[in-house]
Amino acid sequence: MDYTTLIEILGSTLRLGTPLLLACIAGLYSERAGIFDIGLEGKMLMAAMASGAVAALSGSAWIGLAAGITASLLFAAIHGLASITFRGNQLISGVALNFVASGATILIAQTAFGQGGRTPPLDGAARFQAITLPFAEALSGVPFLGPFYAKVISGQSLLVYLALAIVPATWWLLYRTRFGLRLRAVGENPESVDTAGVSVIRLRYTAVALTGVLCGIAGAYMATSLQAGFGREMTAGRGYIALAALIFAKWRPWQALWATMLFGFLQALALRPDVIEAMSPGSLTIPVSFLDALPYLLTVIVLAGFVGRAIPPRAGGQPYVKER
Protein backbone atom coordinates (compact mmCIF):
# COMPACT_ATOMS: atom_id res chain seq x y z
CA MET A 1 0.00 0.00 0.00
CA ASP A 2 1.55 3.32 -1.07
CA TYR A 3 1.25 6.52 0.95
CA THR A 4 -1.31 8.07 -1.39
CA THR A 5 -3.65 5.12 -0.95
CA LEU A 6 -3.13 5.19 2.82
CA ILE A 7 -4.07 8.89 2.88
CA GLU A 8 -7.26 8.16 0.94
CA ILE A 9 -8.22 5.38 3.37
CA LEU A 10 -7.49 7.58 6.39
CA GLY A 11 -9.69 10.33 4.94
CA SER A 12 -12.51 7.82 4.52
CA THR A 13 -11.84 6.53 8.04
CA LEU A 14 -12.46 9.98 9.50
CA ARG A 15 -15.66 10.46 7.51
CA LEU A 16 -17.04 6.99 8.28
CA GLY A 17 -15.95 7.09 11.91
CA THR A 18 -17.68 10.40 12.66
CA PRO A 19 -21.25 9.06 13.12
CA LEU A 20 -19.84 6.23 15.23
CA LEU A 21 -17.93 8.75 17.37
CA LEU A 22 -21.00 10.94 17.90
CA ALA A 23 -23.18 7.96 18.79
CA CYS A 24 -20.50 6.53 21.07
CA ILE A 25 -20.14 9.78 23.02
CA ALA A 26 -23.94 9.96 23.14
CA GLY A 27 -24.07 6.53 24.74
CA LEU A 28 -21.27 7.52 27.10
CA TYR A 29 -23.33 10.33 28.61
CA SER A 30 -26.38 8.13 29.03
CA GLU A 31 -24.61 5.10 30.48
CA ARG A 32 -22.38 7.18 32.76
CA ALA A 33 -25.63 8.41 34.32
CA GLY A 34 -26.88 4.84 34.74
CA ILE A 35 -29.25 4.69 31.75
CA PHE A 36 -28.45 1.96 29.24
CA ASP A 37 -29.49 3.04 25.76
CA ILE A 38 -29.78 0.36 23.10
CA GLY A 39 -31.85 2.86 21.13
CA LEU A 40 -28.91 4.81 19.69
CA GLU A 41 -29.62 3.16 16.35
CA GLY A 42 -33.25 4.27 16.32
CA LYS A 43 -32.41 7.86 17.29
CA MET A 44 -29.80 8.12 14.53
CA LEU A 45 -32.16 6.63 11.97
CA MET A 46 -35.03 8.93 12.92
CA ALA A 47 -32.70 11.94 12.89
CA ALA A 48 -31.35 10.98 9.47
CA MET A 49 -34.84 10.75 8.01
CA ALA A 50 -35.99 14.02 9.59
CA SER A 51 -32.90 15.95 8.55
CA GLY A 52 -32.90 14.54 5.02
CA ALA A 53 -36.60 15.29 4.55
CA VAL A 54 -36.51 18.80 6.02
CA ALA A 55 -33.29 19.70 4.20
CA ALA A 56 -34.88 18.58 0.92
CA LEU A 57 -38.00 20.66 1.55
CA SER A 58 -36.27 23.76 2.93
CA GLY A 59 -33.04 23.67 0.92
CA SER A 60 -31.05 24.32 4.13
CA ALA A 61 -28.73 21.83 5.80
CA TRP A 62 -28.92 23.84 9.04
CA ILE A 63 -32.70 23.54 9.22
CA GLY A 64 -32.30 19.85 8.45
CA LEU A 65 -29.81 19.54 11.32
CA ALA A 66 -32.28 21.21 13.70
CA ALA A 67 -35.02 18.83 12.55
CA GLY A 68 -32.75 15.82 13.08
CA ILE A 69 -31.86 16.91 16.62
CA THR A 70 -35.54 17.54 17.39
CA ALA A 71 -36.56 14.07 16.16
CA SER A 72 -33.80 12.42 18.17
CA LEU A 73 -34.72 14.42 21.28
CA LEU A 74 -38.31 13.22 20.92
CA PHE A 75 -37.13 9.60 20.97
CA ALA A 76 -34.79 10.40 23.87
CA ALA A 77 -37.70 11.86 25.82
CA ILE A 78 -39.74 8.70 25.25
CA HIS A 79 -36.83 6.56 26.43
CA GLY A 80 -36.36 8.79 29.47
CA LEU A 81 -40.05 8.67 30.31
CA ALA A 82 -40.10 4.88 30.09
CA SER A 83 -36.80 4.30 31.88
CA ILE A 84 -36.63 7.09 34.47
CA THR A 85 -40.17 8.19 35.26
CA PHE A 86 -41.96 4.85 34.88
CA ARG A 87 -38.87 2.79 35.84
CA GLY A 88 -39.33 0.40 32.92
CA ASN A 89 -36.77 -2.00 31.50
CA GLN A 90 -34.19 0.17 29.76
CA LEU A 91 -33.08 -2.47 27.26
CA ILE A 92 -36.63 -3.24 26.13
CA SER A 93 -37.38 0.48 25.77
CA GLY A 94 -34.33 0.98 23.56
CA VAL A 95 -35.08 -2.04 21.38
CA ALA A 96 -38.69 -0.92 20.98
CA LEU A 97 -37.57 2.51 19.79
CA ASN A 98 -35.28 0.87 17.24
CA PHE A 99 -38.20 -1.12 15.83
CA VAL A 100 -40.43 1.97 15.73
CA ALA A 101 -37.74 4.00 13.94
CA SER A 102 -37.11 1.24 11.41
CA GLY A 103 -40.73 1.21 10.29
CA ALA A 104 -41.68 4.85 10.84
CA THR A 105 -38.81 6.31 8.82
CA ILE A 106 -39.70 4.29 5.72
CA LEU A 107 -43.42 4.99 6.12
CA ILE A 108 -42.95 8.75 6.54
CA ALA A 109 -40.44 9.08 3.72
CA GLN A 110 -42.58 7.01 1.35
CA THR A 111 -45.72 8.97 2.22
CA ALA A 112 -43.99 12.33 1.84
CA PHE A 113 -41.89 11.70 -1.27
CA GLY A 114 -43.02 8.43 -2.87
CA GLN A 115 -39.47 7.33 -3.67
CA GLY A 116 -39.39 3.91 -2.05
CA GLY A 117 -38.67 5.17 1.46
CA ARG A 118 -35.96 7.58 0.37
CA THR A 119 -35.79 11.36 0.38
CA PRO A 120 -34.90 13.36 -2.75
CA PRO A 121 -31.16 13.80 -3.44
CA LEU A 122 -29.64 16.81 -1.68
CA ASP A 123 -27.26 19.31 -3.22
CA GLY A 124 -26.03 22.85 -2.73
CA ALA A 125 -27.06 24.50 0.54
CA ALA A 126 -29.07 21.44 1.54
CA ARG A 127 -25.80 19.62 2.30
CA PHE A 128 -22.89 20.39 4.59
CA GLN A 129 -20.01 20.96 2.20
CA ALA A 130 -16.34 20.15 2.71
CA ILE A 131 -14.25 22.89 4.32
CA THR A 132 -10.72 23.65 3.15
CA LEU A 133 -8.60 24.61 6.14
CA PRO A 134 -6.01 27.41 6.00
CA PHE A 135 -2.69 26.59 4.28
CA ALA A 136 -3.97 23.21 3.03
CA GLU A 137 -2.85 23.90 -0.54
CA ALA A 138 0.42 25.52 0.51
CA LEU A 139 1.41 22.62 2.75
CA SER A 140 0.30 19.84 0.42
CA GLY A 141 3.80 19.57 -1.03
CA VAL A 142 5.47 18.95 2.34
CA PRO A 143 6.49 15.27 2.55
CA PHE A 144 4.25 13.03 4.66
CA LEU A 145 2.63 15.69 6.89
CA GLY A 146 1.53 17.91 4.00
CA PRO A 147 -0.74 15.37 2.26
CA PHE A 148 -2.06 14.20 5.63
CA TYR A 149 -3.11 17.73 6.55
CA ALA A 150 -4.42 18.62 3.09
CA LYS A 151 -6.39 15.43 2.39
CA VAL A 152 -7.25 13.95 5.80
CA ILE A 153 -7.54 16.84 8.25
CA SER A 154 -8.67 19.42 5.69
CA GLY A 155 -11.56 18.93 3.31
CA GLN A 156 -14.00 17.51 5.87
CA SER A 157 -17.52 18.61 6.77
CA LEU A 158 -18.15 21.05 9.60
CA LEU A 159 -19.88 18.26 11.53
CA VAL A 160 -16.69 16.18 11.41
CA TYR A 161 -14.76 18.94 13.15
CA LEU A 162 -17.63 19.36 15.60
CA ALA A 163 -17.47 15.66 16.47
CA LEU A 164 -13.72 15.85 17.06
CA ALA A 165 -14.16 18.93 19.26
CA ILE A 166 -16.83 17.15 21.33
CA VAL A 167 -14.25 14.60 22.56
CA PRO A 168 -12.06 17.00 24.62
CA ALA A 169 -15.18 18.95 25.60
CA THR A 170 -16.73 15.75 26.98
CA TRP A 171 -13.53 14.86 28.83
CA TRP A 172 -13.44 18.32 30.43
CA LEU A 173 -17.13 18.23 31.30
CA LEU A 174 -16.96 14.79 32.91
CA TYR A 175 -13.68 15.10 34.77
CA ARG A 176 -13.21 18.81 35.44
CA THR A 177 -16.65 20.13 36.38
CA ARG A 178 -19.08 19.65 39.25
CA PHE A 179 -21.75 18.56 36.77
CA GLY A 180 -19.48 15.80 35.46
CA LEU A 181 -18.68 14.57 38.96
CA ARG A 182 -22.37 14.38 39.80
CA LEU A 183 -23.20 12.69 36.50
CA ARG A 184 -20.61 9.98 37.08
CA ALA A 185 -21.75 9.58 40.68
CA VAL A 186 -25.35 9.05 39.54
CA GLY A 187 -24.18 6.09 37.45
CA GLU A 188 -22.21 4.58 40.32
CA ASN A 189 -24.15 5.41 43.47
CA PRO A 190 -27.34 7.44 42.97
CA GLU A 191 -28.24 7.17 46.66
CA SER A 192 -25.21 9.24 47.68
CA VAL A 193 -26.10 11.90 45.10
CA ASP A 194 -29.66 12.04 46.41
CA THR A 195 -28.37 12.30 49.96
CA ALA A 196 -26.31 15.34 48.93
CA GLY A 197 -29.51 17.06 47.86
CA VAL A 198 -28.98 16.71 44.09
CA SER A 199 -31.87 15.46 41.94
CA VAL A 200 -31.04 12.07 40.43
CA ILE A 201 -34.00 12.33 38.09
CA ARG A 202 -32.92 15.70 36.71
CA LEU A 203 -29.34 14.54 36.13
CA ARG A 204 -30.47 11.41 34.32
CA TYR A 205 -32.88 13.34 32.13
CA THR A 206 -30.07 15.78 31.32
CA ALA A 207 -27.83 12.89 30.27
CA VAL A 208 -30.60 11.39 28.13
CA ALA A 209 -31.15 14.80 26.49
CA LEU A 210 -27.42 15.09 25.68
CA THR A 211 -27.64 11.63 24.16
CA GLY A 212 -30.54 12.77 22.00
CA VAL A 213 -28.69 15.86 20.77
CA LEU A 214 -25.56 13.91 19.80
CA CYS A 215 -27.53 11.12 18.09
CA GLY A 216 -29.43 13.83 16.22
CA ILE A 217 -26.17 15.32 14.95
CA ALA A 218 -24.94 11.84 13.98
CA GLY A 219 -28.08 11.08 11.99
CA ALA A 220 -28.11 14.51 10.35
CA TYR A 221 -24.46 14.07 9.38
CA MET A 222 -25.25 10.81 7.62
CA ALA A 223 -28.11 12.29 5.59
CA THR A 224 -26.75 15.78 4.83
CA SER A 225 -23.00 15.25 4.63
CA LEU A 226 -21.83 11.65 4.40
CA GLN A 227 -24.56 10.90 1.87
CA ALA A 228 -26.87 13.11 -0.20
CA GLY A 229 -30.16 12.28 1.47
CA PHE A 230 -31.88 9.63 3.54
CA GLY A 231 -32.07 5.99 2.46
CA ARG A 232 -33.83 2.99 3.96
CA GLU A 233 -32.03 1.62 7.04
CA MET A 234 -29.07 3.85 6.20
CA THR A 235 -27.60 3.61 9.70
CA ALA A 236 -26.93 -0.10 8.98
CA GLY A 237 -26.24 -1.09 12.58
CA ARG A 238 -23.96 1.83 13.40
CA GLY A 239 -25.78 2.39 16.69
CA TYR A 240 -24.89 -1.13 17.82
CA ILE A 241 -21.30 -0.71 16.61
CA ALA A 242 -21.10 2.51 18.64
CA LEU A 243 -22.20 0.59 21.74
CA ALA A 244 -19.48 -1.98 21.12
CA ALA A 245 -16.94 0.82 20.70
CA LEU A 246 -18.14 2.32 23.99
CA ILE A 247 -17.49 -0.97 25.78
CA PHE A 248 -14.15 -1.25 23.98
CA ALA A 249 -13.30 2.26 25.22
CA LYS A 250 -14.40 1.39 28.77
CA TRP A 251 -16.70 4.42 28.89
CA ARG A 252 -13.91 7.00 28.44
CA PRO A 253 -14.07 9.78 25.81
CA TRP A 254 -10.51 9.71 24.46
CA GLN A 255 -10.53 5.94 24.17
CA ALA A 256 -13.91 6.26 22.44
CA LEU A 257 -12.26 8.38 19.74
CA TRP A 258 -9.66 5.72 18.93
CA ALA A 259 -12.16 2.85 19.19
CA THR A 260 -14.60 4.44 16.74
CA MET A 261 -11.80 5.35 14.33
CA LEU A 262 -10.73 1.69 14.39
CA PHE A 263 -14.24 0.67 13.36
CA GLY A 264 -14.23 3.47 10.78
CA PHE A 265 -10.94 2.19 9.39
CA LEU A 266 -12.41 -1.26 8.90
CA GLN A 267 -15.40 0.25 7.10
CA ALA A 268 -13.07 2.31 4.89
CA LEU A 269 -10.97 -0.78 4.15
CA ALA A 270 -14.11 -2.67 3.13
CA LEU A 271 -14.68 -0.04 0.42
CA ARG A 272 -11.23 -0.75 -1.07
CA PRO A 273 -11.11 -4.45 -2.01
CA ASP A 274 -8.34 -3.61 -4.48
CA VAL A 275 -6.06 -2.71 -1.58
CA ILE A 276 -6.84 -5.95 0.24
CA GLU A 277 -6.20 -8.00 -2.88
CA ALA A 278 -2.88 -6.24 -3.45
CA MET A 279 -1.82 -7.06 0.12
CA SER A 280 -3.02 -10.70 -0.05
CA PRO A 281 -0.35 -13.37 -0.49
CA GLY A 282 -0.28 -15.18 -3.83
CA SER A 283 -3.61 -15.60 -5.58
CA LEU A 284 -5.71 -15.45 -2.41
CA THR A 285 -9.03 -13.73 -3.10
CA ILE A 286 -10.98 -12.27 -0.18
CA PRO A 287 -14.74 -11.97 -0.81
CA VAL A 288 -16.17 -8.45 -0.68
CA SER A 289 -18.91 -9.68 1.64
CA PHE A 290 -16.25 -10.68 4.18
CA LEU A 291 -14.74 -7.20 4.04
CA ASP A 292 -18.19 -5.68 4.58
CA ALA A 293 -18.63 -7.90 7.63
CA LEU A 294 -15.34 -6.87 9.29
CA PRO A 295 -16.79 -4.06 11.50
CA TYR A 296 -19.58 -6.37 12.66
CA LEU A 297 -17.14 -9.20 13.36
CA LEU A 298 -15.10 -6.83 15.51
CA THR A 299 -18.32 -5.85 17.28
CA VAL A 300 -18.97 -9.50 18.17
CA ILE A 301 -15.38 -9.92 19.36
CA VAL A 302 -15.65 -6.84 21.58
CA LEU A 303 -19.00 -7.86 23.06
CA ALA A 304 -17.73 -11.40 23.66
CA GLY A 305 -15.08 -9.94 25.98
CA PHE A 306 -11.96 -10.84 24.03
CA VAL A 307 -10.52 -7.33 24.39
CA GLY A 308 -10.37 -7.43 28.16
CA ARG A 309 -12.81 -6.94 30.98
CA ALA A 310 -14.96 -3.82 30.79
CA ILE A 311 -16.81 -2.85 33.95
CA PRO A 312 -19.89 -0.68 33.32
CA PRO A 313 -21.22 1.88 35.81
CA ARG A 314 -22.49 -0.02 38.85
CA ALA A 315 -25.96 1.52 38.82
CA GLY A 316 -26.38 1.09 35.08
CA GLY A 317 -29.74 -0.28 34.01
CA GLN A 318 -31.23 0.08 37.48
CA PRO A 319 -34.18 2.44 37.96
CA TYR A 320 -33.76 4.69 40.97
CA VAL A 321 -36.42 4.65 43.66
CA LYS A 322 -36.14 7.48 46.14
CA GLU A 323 -36.23 6.33 49.75
CA ARG A 324 -38.74 8.02 51.98
Side-chain angles (χ1 to χ4, degrees):
M1 183 191 306
D2 58 24
Y3 188 63
T4 301
T5 303
L6 177 61
I7 288 295
E8 293 174 353
I9 293 177
L10 290 178
S12 297
T13 296
L14 188 54
R15 287 188 290 274
L16 294 170
T18 293
L20 298 177
L21 176 59
L22 288 165
C24 186
I25 297 296
L28 187 149
Y29 278 111
S30 181
E31 297 199 6
R32 277 290 191 177
I35 303 297
F36 288 162
D37 197 347
I38 301 294
L40 300 178
E41 176 85 2
K43 293 182 186 68
M44 292 172 63
L45 190 60
M46 203 70 192
M49 188 280 299
S51 61
V54 173
L57 294 172
S58 67
S60 170
W62 289 102
I63 299 178
L65 174 62
I69 293 175
T70 301
S72 181
L73 277 173
L74 176 61
F75 266 45
I78 295 173
H79 183 59
L81 191 66
S83 302
I84 302 172
T85 302
F86 295 121
R87 307 188 190 103
N89 188 294
Q90 298 172 12
L91 300 181
I92 293 177
S93 172
V95 171
L97 288 176
N98 288 341
F99 284 134
V100 170
S102 178
T105 51
I106 298 174
L107 176 63
I108 295 172
Q110 174 62 22
T111 302
F113 302 105
Q115 297 186 13
R118 301 179 59 89
T119 60
L122 304 178
D123 56 9
R127 293 190 67 191
F128 286 100
Q129 305 297 329
I131 298 174
T132 301
L133 297 180
F135 310 112
E137 293 295 330
L139 295 175
S140 61
V142 178
F144 295 104
L145 293 180
F148 181 81
Y149 176 74
K151 297 183 179 180
V152 178
I153 304 300
S154 180
Q156 303 290 351
S157 162
L158 175 65
L159 298 183
V160 174
Y161 301 121
L162 176 61
L164 294 176
I166 284 173
V167 176
T170 296
W171 175 86
W172 178 82
L173 186 64
L174 287 179
Y175 297 102
R176 290 295 184 269
T177 67
R178 181 180 299 178
F179 170 77
L181 176 63
R182 291 173 174 175
L183 189 73
R184 288 182 287 124
V186 162
E188 295 292 340
N189 191 343
E191 290 82 6
S192 63
V193 176
D194 194 14
T195 302
V198 179
S199 173
V200 173
I201 303 300
R202 185 174 65 247
L203 277 172
R204 287 189 166 180
Y205 264 111
T206 302
V208 168
L210 288 172
T211 299
V213 171
L214 292 176
C215 283
I217 298 173
Y221 168 77
M222 293 194 65
T224 61
S225 181
L226 186 63
Q227 298 184 32
F230 171 78
R232 298 171 58 129
E233 305 290 348
M234 71 180 303
T235 50
R238 284 178 172 86
Y240 300 110
I241 294 176
L243 285 173
L246 181 59
I247 296 171
F248 193 12
K250 295 180 171 59
W251 294 271
R252 294 184 175 92
W254 285 110
Q255 287 86 336
L257 171 63
W258 307 122
T260 52
M261 289 304 128
L262 172 61
F263 282 97
F265 178 76
L266 292 178
Q267 289 182 335
L269 208 57
L271 299 176
R272 295 296 301 269
D274 56 314
V275 175
I276 301 297
E277 291 178 4
M279 296 172 59
S280 302
S283 58
L284 178 64
T285 300
I286 299 178
V288 176
S289 56
F290 176 77
L291 298 178
D292 292 335
L294 279 178
Y296 305 98
L297 291 175
L298 182 59
T299 300
V300 173
I301 291 172
V302 169
L303 295 178
F306 291 112
V307 296
R309 188 181 180 188
I311 303 175
R314 284 183 296 176
Q318 302 174 12
Y320 178 67
V321 181
K322 185 180 179 66
E323 296 182 0
R324 299 186 182 275

